[in-house]
Amino acid sequence: MRKRSLVGVVAAIAALAIATIFGVPKAFAHGEAGDEPFLKDLTTAFYDVHISPTEIAVGQPVTITGTVRILETWPYTLYPPEKAYITPVVPGPVFVLRERTVNGQQAPGSFFVEKGGVYNFKMEILGRNPGKWHVHPGIAVQGTGTLIGPGEWVTVKPSGAPFVFPVKLLSGQTINLNKYEGGFVWWWSFAGFLIGVAWMLYWTLNKRTVTNLAVTIQLGVNDDAPDIGLITPRDHVWMNVLAGLTIAMLLIGWSYSAMKYPVRLPQQTDWFAPQFVSSGEKMAEVSPQGATYDDGTDTLVMKVNVKNIGPSPITVKQYIMAMATFVNGKPDDLAKAGPHDYVGQLEVDPDSPIAPGDAKDLTLRISNPVLSDERLIPLHDPQQFIAGLLRFENGLGKQEMVVIRSGVIPTQFKSQYLP
Ligand SMILES: [Cu+2]
């Protein structure tokens, strides 16, 4: 009877596992909407992101360019940003990263970052697996995680030839990194895995260690409990065999690598502080006067007071928040601002240039489903704040990005939030 119920439980778990694997619909995003709004808005802002081309064959490059600024409003609840790397955010290893620069410097790994830092990035990735993939730039900040920028769909078509990724070694030899010693790595890891599985099955199939957990848990850690036959001398022999096999594998591995590859370099690290990039000429002083958000119509209204402290009239060009850019301009300007799904219209009232020395109260209005689709606005948070960049342009064509942080009051909720 007991055995039968155990079989039932195992069958149920197996059925559930199979249903989970095959019953899940295809995911179309990267779960960025799952991040808390403060984690997106107050930390970074991505702008001028371009991902092209959007259709390639396997082995061909896609270039991702853009800028990310680590905002001065970085939440005090997170570790201060110190080290980060820029990364393509794609669903699994479907692309290969070939080239990456940050502020014009080669950036093979992480670099040092700071609040207020502006990082222009360029990445070149090669299509590896055919499919339609959502490609984002992201910045992985140590202690915080990966914060992602706007994404674009990229179609990778089969090319007829298998993907190769040639890399020239210091020895002069060129290898295909895509498959290099893949079989050996697989079988060697599998051999280690088998030892682990043997150990696990030994102690779970016939022994009472797991099935009689209520008893074994009361024994001391080093108690073999020979009186109840828990761990026998025979068990010790077999465990010594497994431990010996593990040590033998390590010794064989070390000697093999030392003999086969006598010239080796330790894994290289190249952390650097990128060159300073200015956020623009000083031309505007902005004081936020509060914001409201209507969740029913996805409408954000921000009041700001803007003072022109430069010599030339200024206008508001864009408001950038997290991965989204809202443009005060024509459809043409919107198309140029970044990936289509993350660009929207910004209405500025009054929309006339602010003369040097003048200060004006402006109303910024954004009505766009991306605000709720990407969950950019806090609705029931203990800290109802948003932050972003206001992009100004003066009569001389110069620009400045000004960080603003504003309290936001939700005025209406979508029906699913109502009790
Ligand atoms: Cu995505």
Side-chain angles (χ1 to χ4, degrees):
M1 188 65 199
R2 245 186 80 208
K3 226 174 196 163
R4 203 180 274 173
S5 68
L6 187 70
V7 168
V9 169
V10 170
I13 291 172
L16 203 67
I18 290 167
T20 311
I21 291 165
F22 292 102
V24 173
K26 208 172 172 184
F28 284 106
H30 285 115
E32 63 263 25
D35 282 342
E36 293 290 330
F38 84 91
L39 196 54
K40 284 174 278 209
D41 304 348
L42 302 183
T43 52
T44 50
F46 281 84
Y47 53 94
D48 297 342
V49 171
H50 296 285
I51 299 164
S52 72
T54 52
E55 207 176 297
I56 55 159
V58 166
Q60 287 179 338
V62 173
T63 305
I64 308 170
T65 56
T67 303
V68 59
R69 169 148 162 193
I70 300 206
L71 301 180
E72 290 84 338
T73 53
W74 186 272
Y76 67 90
T77 46
L78 301 176
Y79 288 109
E82 280 174 2
K83 221 183 294 148
Y85 62 89
I86 305 273
T87 181
V89 178
V90 294
V94 296
F95 288 91
V96 158
L97 179 64
R98 182 163 71 178
E99 195 75 56
R100 175 169 52 194
T101 57
V102 172
N103 293 356
Q105 271 173 279
Q106 287 280 337
S110 299
F111 53 94
F112 297 107
V113 294
E114 58 190 13
K115 288 182 200 172
V118 177
Y119 306 102
N120 298 320
F121 55 83
K122 182 177 178 198
M123 291 183 279
E124 193 184 77
I125 57 176
L126 306 178
R128 189 165 174 259
N129 293 3
K132 194 176 178 209
W133 314 115
H134 211 209
V135 176
H136 303 249
I139 182 164
V141 183
Q142 190 176 35
T144 296
T146 304
L147 305 160
I148 79 170
E152 188 86 82
W153 287 104
V154 174
T155 306
V156 180
K157 291 187 295 191
S159 71
F163 176 76
V164 287
F165 189 39
V167 170
K168 197 172 175 210
L169 304 181
L170 280 180
S171 65
Q173 185 199 355
T174 301
I175 57 161
N176 174 15
L177 196 57
N178 193 44
K179 295 259 177 201
Y180 186 64
E181 297 283 3
F184 174 77
V185 170
W186 199 93
W187 283 108
W188 190 250
S189 312
F190 187 69
F193 170 77
L194 283 184
I195 296 178
V197 168
W199 180 86
M200 190 189 78
L201 295 181
Y202 185 94
W203 289 109
T204 48
L205 279 188
N206 293 317
K207 304 296 287 184
R208 300 196 289 167
T209 39
V210 174
T211 49
N212 286 13
L213 208 55
V215 176
T216 51
I217 212 158
Q218 296 190 37
L219 298 170
V221 178
N222 292 319
D223 188 352
D224 279 2
D227 47 332
I228 57 168
L230 190 64
I231 299 175
T232 63
R234 203 180 149 74
D235 295 336
H236 278 279
V237 170
W238 280 114
M239 287 311 108
N240 288 339
V241 167
L242 290 183
L245 281 176
T246 310
I247 292 167
M249 263 193 83
L250 290 172
L251 288 176
I252 292 168
W254 285 327
S255 335
Y256 175 76
S257 70
M259 283 190 300
K260 188 158 184 211
Y261 304 99
V263 182
R264 298 186 302 281
L265 260 186
Q267 195 162 17
Q268 299 296 294
T269 308
D270 181 10
W271 293 342
F272 67 99
Q275 283 182 1
F276 174 78
V277 170
S278 163
S279 56
E281 207 159 286
K282 283 262 165 291
M283 57 179 81
E285 259 174 25
V286 185
S287 33
Q289 312 283 318
T292 58
Y293 180 64
D294 180 336
D295 193 37
T297 60
D298 299 316
T299 304
L300 175 69
V301 177
M302 284 184 285
K303 305 260 187 203
V304 290
N305 180 273
V306 177
K307 188 177 179 198
N308 184 344
I309 55 168
S312 166
I314 56 170
T315 47
V316 174
K317 285 300 199 192
Q318 293 180 350
Y319 175 65
I320 296 144
M321 185 160 62
M323 72 279 279
T325 299
F326 303 98
V327 184
N328 179 23
K330 300 185 189 71
D332 241 22
D333 302 317
L334 268 73
K336 276 184 262 170
H340 175 264
D341 294 342
Y342 300 84
V343 172
Q345 187 79 41
L346 167 70
E347 288 167 42
V348 181
D349 183 35
D351 193 18
S352 47
I354 304 169
D358 268 10
K360 247 187 212 174
D361 285 322
L362 303 181
T363 302
L364 311 175
R365 193 169 171 280
I366 295 161
S367 199
N368 200 304
V370 77
L371 294 174
S372 57
D373 288 351
E374 295 295 334
R375 213 152 74 100
L376 293 178
I377 311 291
L379 290 171
H380 353 66
D381 286 8
Q383 295 182 322
Q384 284 288 130
F385 287 105
I386 53 169
L389 294 170
L390 263 187
R391 186 179 216 153
F392 291 94
E393 193 174 282
N394 69 13
L396 309 167
K398 294 272 197 289
Q399 295 197 338
E400 187 192 4
M401 306 288 239
V402 180
V403 180
I404 57 169
R405 174 181 178 269
S406 179
V408 58
I409 298 169
T411 54
Q412 191 192 309
F413 293 99
K414 283 204 173 80
S415 53
Q416 71 256 36
Y417 294 117
L418 293 176

